[in-house]
Amino acid sequence: MAIIPDPLQIAASRDALIALDPSLARAHAQTPAFDWRWRTGGFEGLFHMIVDQQVSVASAAAIWARVVQGLEGEVTPEKVLATPIETLRSFGLSIQKATYGHEIARAHVEGRIDFDHLESLSDEEAVARLVAIKGVGKWTAETFLMFCEGRLDVFPAGDIALQEAMRWADRSGDRPREKEAYARSEMWKPHRSVAAHLLWGWYGAVKRGEVVLDDHPSDPASAARETTESKTE
């Protein structure tokens, strides 16, 4: 069963991160205390994450409500697998997402992944099991482990917002690519999940205009990529 870090644990991790990497001090100073981004776990949690991708928050909430209602509140691998693709589509899912729902459910039913005991696997093993399922990319697997299982040392380095916040923290002119971001996050072990939450919080505050970055180098190419790139898992 997932145990979500409490505010005191998060605060302690933030302090540890600043000691490990002083370049995070500005993000820390400009980002208020935050709660863990907790989501329902297991099969339902992963399917929900797939449904939410690449649509607005409002649309995702409406579609998921229709999915839950259409499945009579029983969002289980067996129920989803027994529901035809066309029926799932009638709830508002694209054919791709409906198919992915079947793929995830089939992986559980066939024993290729066990959502009831996923927490017994290491982070690396769990990511490998998840990405072996059609429709589940690395970013999805990593954020699932972080949000739905409360894992403390996961860093989804392919996340564009995290990459941009890392650029600001390092006062760099170039946004790191995924491989570079993974390497950069190594020094934050074993607090990388809190580092991700911190950078997301800072990024959001800047984008909402609550924090102004006066001295970060401009990166027109990075800004262009930020508006055109999207997750296509």
Side-chain angles (χ1 to χ4, degrees), residues 92-144:
L93 299 180
S94 66
I95 188 169
Q96 186 180 51
K97 290 183 178 182
T99 301
Y100 290 167
H102 267 209
E103 292 289 343
I104 298 167
R106 185 174 294 109
H108 180 82
V109 169
E110 293 178 352
R112 287 181 278 127
I113 192 165
D114 182 357
F115 287 102
D116 297 328
H117 300 95
L118 193 62
E119 71 276 4
S120 66
L121 302 179
S122 70
D123 297 339
E124 294 77 13
E125 291 172 327
V127 168
R129 294 285 182 90
L130 288 165
V131 299
I133 305 170
K134 183 178 180 180
V136 181
K138 193 171 185 180
W139 179 88
T140 300
E142 290 168 335
T143 52
F144 172 81

Side-chain angles (χ1 to χ4, degrees), residues 34-70:
F34 49 77
D35 294 324
W36 198 263
R37 294 189 182 188
W38 166 242
R39 297 183 62 143
T40 300
F43 167 80
E44 179 178 347
L46 183 58
F47 186 28
H48 194 171
M49 289 185 73
I50 294 293
V51 170
D52 283 357
Q53 288 177 6
Q54 298 182 319
V55 294
S56 69
V57 173
S59 295
I63 293 171
W64 183 249
R66 290 176 63 186
V67 169
V68 173
Q69 182 179 25

Side-chain angles (χ1 to χ4, degrees), residues 5-222:
D6 63 33
L8 288 177
Q9 290 173 303
I10 294 173
S13 287
R14 288 179 64 161
D15 289 341
L17 282 166
I18 304 313
L20 289 169
D21 185 358
S23 70
L24 293 177
R26 183 168 57 150
H28 176 61
Q30 295 178 334
T31 307
F34 49 77
D35 294 324
W36 198 263
R37 294 189 182 188
W38 166 242
R39 297 183 62 143
T40 300
F43 167 80
E44 179 178 347
L46 183 58
F47 186 28
H48 194 171
M49 289 185 73
I50 294 293
V51 170
D52 283 357
Q53 288 177 6
Q54 298 182 319
V55 294
S56 69
V57 173
S59 295
I63 293 171
W64 183 249
R66 290 176 63 186
V67 169
V68 173
Q69 182 179 25
L71 295 174
E72 300 175 325
E74 191 180 346
V75 188
T76 65
E78 294 77 13
K79 182 72 172 183
V80 169
L81 201 54
T83 304
I85 294 291
E86 286 305 314
T87 302
L88 291 174
R89 292 189 66 192
S90 73
F91 304 154
L93 299 180
S94 66
I95 188 169
Q96 186 180 51
K97 290 183 178 182
T99 301
Y100 290 167
H102 267 209
E103 292 289 343
I104 298 167
R106 185 174 294 109
H108 180 82
V109 169
E110 293 178 352
R112 287 181 278 127
I113 192 165
D114 182 357
F115 287 102
D116 297 328
H117 300 95
L118 193 62
E119 71 276 4
S120 66
L121 302 179
S122 70
D123 297 339
E124 294 77 13
E125 291 172 327
V127 168
R129 294 285 182 90
L130 288 165
V131 299
I133 305 170
K134 183 178 180 180
V136 181
K138 193 171 185 180
W139 179 88
T140 300
E142 290 168 335
T143 52
F144 172 81
L145 294 180
M146 188 189 306
F147 299 154
C148 301
E149 294 208 336
R151 300 207 185 201
L152 299 174
D153 196 34
V154 179
F155 192 80
D159 189 277
I160 296 170
L162 291 182
Q163 293 171 2
E164 185 69 354
M166 292 170 81
R167 180 176 79 86
W168 299 339
D170 290 335
R171 292 178 167 85
S172 172
D174 298 311
R175 194 174 75 201
R177 294 292 188 174
E178 184 173 356
K179 184 176 180 180
E180 297 167 333
Y182 275 125
R184 178 72 177 80
S185 72
E186 284 291 309
M187 69 185 304
W188 301 334
K189 288 182 174 182
H191 308 284
R192 288 182 297 175
S193 295
V194 173
H197 277 74
L198 174 63
L199 292 172
W200 272 320
W202 190 38
Y203 177 88
V206 171
K207 290 301 180 179
R208 291 189 299 270
E210 299 166 3
V211 170
V212 177
L213 300 178
D214 303 343
D215 58 348
H216 74 287
S218 61
D219 180 10
S222 178

